[in-house]
Short mmCIF file of all heavy atoms in Angstrom, two decimals:
data_model
loop_
_atom_site.label_atom_id
_atom_site.label_comp_id
_atom_site.label_asym_id
_atom_site.label_seq_id
_atom_site.Cartn_x
_atom_site.Cartn_y
_atom_site.Cartn_z
N PRO A 6 230.78 -75.13 38.86
CA PRO A 6 229.81 -74.10 39.22
C PRO A 6 228.39 -74.69 39.27
O PRO A 6 228.07 -75.62 38.54
CB PRO A 6 229.94 -73.07 38.09
CG PRO A 6 231.36 -73.21 37.66
CD PRO A 6 231.60 -74.71 37.72
N THR A 7 227.59 -74.13 40.16
CA THR A 7 226.23 -74.62 40.36
C THR A 7 225.22 -73.48 40.24
O THR A 7 225.58 -72.31 40.41
CB THR A 7 226.09 -75.29 41.75
OG1 THR A 7 224.76 -75.77 41.91
CG2 THR A 7 226.42 -74.32 42.88
N ASN A 8 224.00 -73.82 39.96
CA ASN A 8 222.92 -72.83 39.92
C ASN A 8 222.04 -72.92 41.17
O ASN A 8 221.06 -72.20 41.30
CB ASN A 8 222.07 -72.98 38.66
CG ASN A 8 221.28 -74.27 38.63
OD1 ASN A 8 221.57 -75.22 39.35
ND2 ASN A 8 220.28 -74.32 37.77
N THR A 9 222.38 -73.80 42.10
CA THR A 9 221.56 -74.00 43.29
C THR A 9 221.72 -72.85 44.28
O THR A 9 222.74 -72.17 44.31
CB THR A 9 221.91 -75.31 44.00
OG1 THR A 9 223.25 -75.24 44.48
CG2 THR A 9 221.73 -76.50 43.07
N CYS A 10 220.68 -72.66 45.07
CA CYS A 10 220.67 -71.59 46.07
C CYS A 10 220.01 -72.11 47.34
O CYS A 10 219.24 -73.06 47.31
CB CYS A 10 219.87 -70.40 45.56
SG CYS A 10 220.48 -69.75 44.00
N GLU A 11 220.33 -71.46 48.45
CA GLU A 11 219.69 -71.79 49.71
C GLU A 11 219.59 -70.55 50.58
O GLU A 11 220.23 -69.54 50.31
CB GLU A 11 220.40 -72.94 50.42
CG GLU A 11 221.88 -72.78 50.64
CD GLU A 11 222.54 -74.08 51.08
OE1 GLU A 11 222.24 -74.53 52.21
OE2 GLU A 11 223.33 -74.64 50.31
N ILE A 12 218.77 -70.65 51.60
CA ILE A 12 218.52 -69.55 52.52
C ILE A 12 218.96 -69.97 53.92
O ILE A 12 218.60 -71.07 54.37
CB ILE A 12 217.01 -69.20 52.56
CG1 ILE A 12 216.53 -68.71 51.20
CG2 ILE A 12 216.72 -68.18 53.66
CD1 ILE A 12 216.89 -67.30 50.84
N TYR A 13 219.72 -69.09 54.59
CA TYR A 13 220.03 -69.31 56.00
C TYR A 13 219.06 -68.47 56.82
O TYR A 13 218.89 -67.28 56.58
CB TYR A 13 221.46 -68.89 56.33
CG TYR A 13 221.73 -68.93 57.81
CD1 TYR A 13 221.78 -70.13 58.50
CD2 TYR A 13 221.89 -67.75 58.53
CE1 TYR A 13 222.00 -70.16 59.87
CE2 TYR A 13 222.12 -67.77 59.89
CZ TYR A 13 222.18 -68.98 60.56
OH TYR A 13 222.39 -69.01 61.92
N ASN A 14 218.41 -69.11 57.79
CA ASN A 14 217.50 -68.42 58.69
C ASN A 14 218.13 -68.38 60.08
O ASN A 14 218.26 -69.42 60.73
CB ASN A 14 216.15 -69.16 58.74
CG ASN A 14 215.13 -68.41 59.55
OD1 ASN A 14 215.45 -67.63 60.45
ND2 ASN A 14 213.86 -68.64 59.24
N PRO A 15 218.55 -67.19 60.56
CA PRO A 15 219.20 -67.12 61.86
C PRO A 15 218.27 -67.43 63.03
O PRO A 15 218.73 -67.82 64.09
CB PRO A 15 219.70 -65.67 61.93
CG PRO A 15 218.88 -64.91 60.97
CD PRO A 15 218.46 -65.88 59.90
N VAL A 16 216.96 -67.31 62.84
CA VAL A 16 216.00 -67.62 63.91
C VAL A 16 216.00 -69.12 64.17
O VAL A 16 216.02 -69.57 65.32
CB VAL A 16 214.58 -67.12 63.55
CG1 VAL A 16 213.56 -67.57 64.58
CG2 VAL A 16 214.59 -65.60 63.42
N THR A 17 216.00 -69.92 63.11
CA THR A 17 215.99 -71.38 63.26
C THR A 17 217.40 -71.97 63.22
O THR A 17 217.57 -73.15 63.48
CB THR A 17 215.14 -72.03 62.15
OG1 THR A 17 215.73 -71.71 60.88
CG2 THR A 17 213.71 -71.55 62.20
N ASN A 18 218.39 -71.12 62.86
CA ASN A 18 219.78 -71.56 62.72
C ASN A 18 219.88 -72.75 61.76
O ASN A 18 220.54 -73.74 62.02
CB ASN A 18 220.40 -71.92 64.07
CG ASN A 18 221.92 -72.04 63.98
OD1 ASN A 18 222.58 -71.33 63.23
ND2 ASN A 18 222.48 -72.95 64.76
N ALA A 19 219.18 -72.62 60.62
CA ALA A 19 219.14 -73.72 59.65
C ALA A 19 219.11 -73.17 58.22
O ALA A 19 218.73 -72.03 57.99
CB ALA A 19 217.92 -74.59 59.89
N PHE A 20 219.52 -74.02 57.29
CA PHE A 20 219.49 -73.72 55.86
C PHE A 20 218.32 -74.44 55.22
O PHE A 20 217.98 -75.55 55.62
CB PHE A 20 220.79 -74.19 55.19
CG PHE A 20 221.99 -73.38 55.57
CD1 PHE A 20 222.77 -73.76 56.64
CD2 PHE A 20 222.33 -72.24 54.86
CE1 PHE A 20 223.88 -73.02 57.00
CE2 PHE A 20 223.43 -71.49 55.21
CZ PHE A 20 224.22 -71.87 56.29
N SER A 21 217.72 -73.81 54.21
CA SER A 21 216.69 -74.47 53.42
C SER A 21 216.92 -74.12 51.96
O SER A 21 217.43 -73.05 51.63
CB SER A 21 215.29 -74.02 53.86
OG SER A 21 215.15 -72.63 53.70
N SER A 22 216.54 -75.04 51.10
CA SER A 22 216.70 -74.83 49.66
C SER A 22 215.70 -73.78 49.19
O SER A 22 214.63 -73.61 49.77
CB SER A 22 216.48 -76.12 48.89
OG SER A 22 217.47 -77.06 49.23
N THR A 23 216.08 -73.08 48.12
CA THR A 23 215.18 -72.14 47.47
C THR A 23 215.37 -72.29 45.97
O THR A 23 216.17 -73.12 45.53
CB THR A 23 215.43 -70.69 47.97
OG1 THR A 23 214.38 -69.85 47.47
CG2 THR A 23 216.78 -70.16 47.56
N GLY A 24 214.68 -71.49 45.18
CA GLY A 24 214.74 -71.61 43.72
C GLY A 24 216.16 -71.52 43.18
O GLY A 24 217.01 -70.83 43.73
N SER A 25 216.40 -72.23 42.08
CA SER A 25 217.71 -72.23 41.42
C SER A 25 217.78 -71.14 40.36
O SER A 25 216.79 -70.80 39.72
CB SER A 25 217.97 -73.58 40.75
OG SER A 25 218.07 -74.59 41.73
N MET A 26 218.98 -70.60 40.16
CA MET A 26 219.21 -69.60 39.12
C MET A 26 219.08 -70.24 37.75
O MET A 26 219.17 -71.46 37.61
CB MET A 26 220.63 -69.03 39.26
CG MET A 26 220.89 -68.32 40.57
SD MET A 26 222.59 -67.72 40.68
CE MET A 26 223.52 -69.25 40.78
N GLY A 27 218.92 -69.42 36.74
CA GLY A 27 218.85 -69.91 35.37
C GLY A 27 220.19 -70.39 34.84
O GLY A 27 220.25 -71.25 33.98
N ASN A 28 221.28 -69.83 35.36
CA ASN A 28 222.64 -70.22 34.96
C ASN A 28 223.43 -70.70 36.16
O ASN A 28 223.26 -70.17 37.26
CB ASN A 28 223.41 -69.01 34.38
CG ASN A 28 222.98 -68.66 32.99
OD1 ASN A 28 222.90 -69.52 32.13
ND2 ASN A 28 222.69 -67.40 32.78
N GLN A 29 224.31 -71.67 35.94
CA GLN A 29 225.28 -71.98 36.99
C GLN A 29 226.32 -70.87 36.96
O GLN A 29 226.66 -70.37 35.89
CB GLN A 29 225.90 -73.36 36.79
CG GLN A 29 226.68 -73.49 35.51
CD GLN A 29 226.31 -74.72 34.74
OE1 GLN A 29 225.16 -75.14 34.77
NE2 GLN A 29 227.25 -75.27 34.02
N ARG A 30 226.80 -70.45 38.14
CA ARG A 30 227.72 -69.32 38.23
C ARG A 30 228.67 -69.47 39.40
O ARG A 30 228.27 -69.94 40.46
CB ARG A 30 226.98 -68.00 38.48
CG ARG A 30 226.01 -67.57 37.43
CD ARG A 30 225.25 -66.33 37.91
NE ARG A 30 224.17 -66.02 37.02
CZ ARG A 30 224.26 -65.16 36.03
NH1 ARG A 30 225.36 -64.48 35.82
NH2 ARG A 30 223.23 -64.93 35.24
N ALA A 31 229.89 -69.00 39.19
CA ALA A 31 230.87 -68.83 40.26
C ALA A 31 231.62 -67.54 39.97
O ALA A 31 231.77 -67.16 38.81
CB ALA A 31 231.83 -70.01 40.31
N GLY A 32 232.07 -66.86 41.01
CA GLY A 32 232.79 -65.61 40.81
C GLY A 32 231.89 -64.48 40.35
O GLY A 32 232.33 -63.54 39.71
#
């Protein structure tokens, strides 16, 4: 499990990193 996050922007059709959560989580 990871705490990383990213944003998909449909205008640019690309992903960019954003702030990470305080806890790693799955499910």
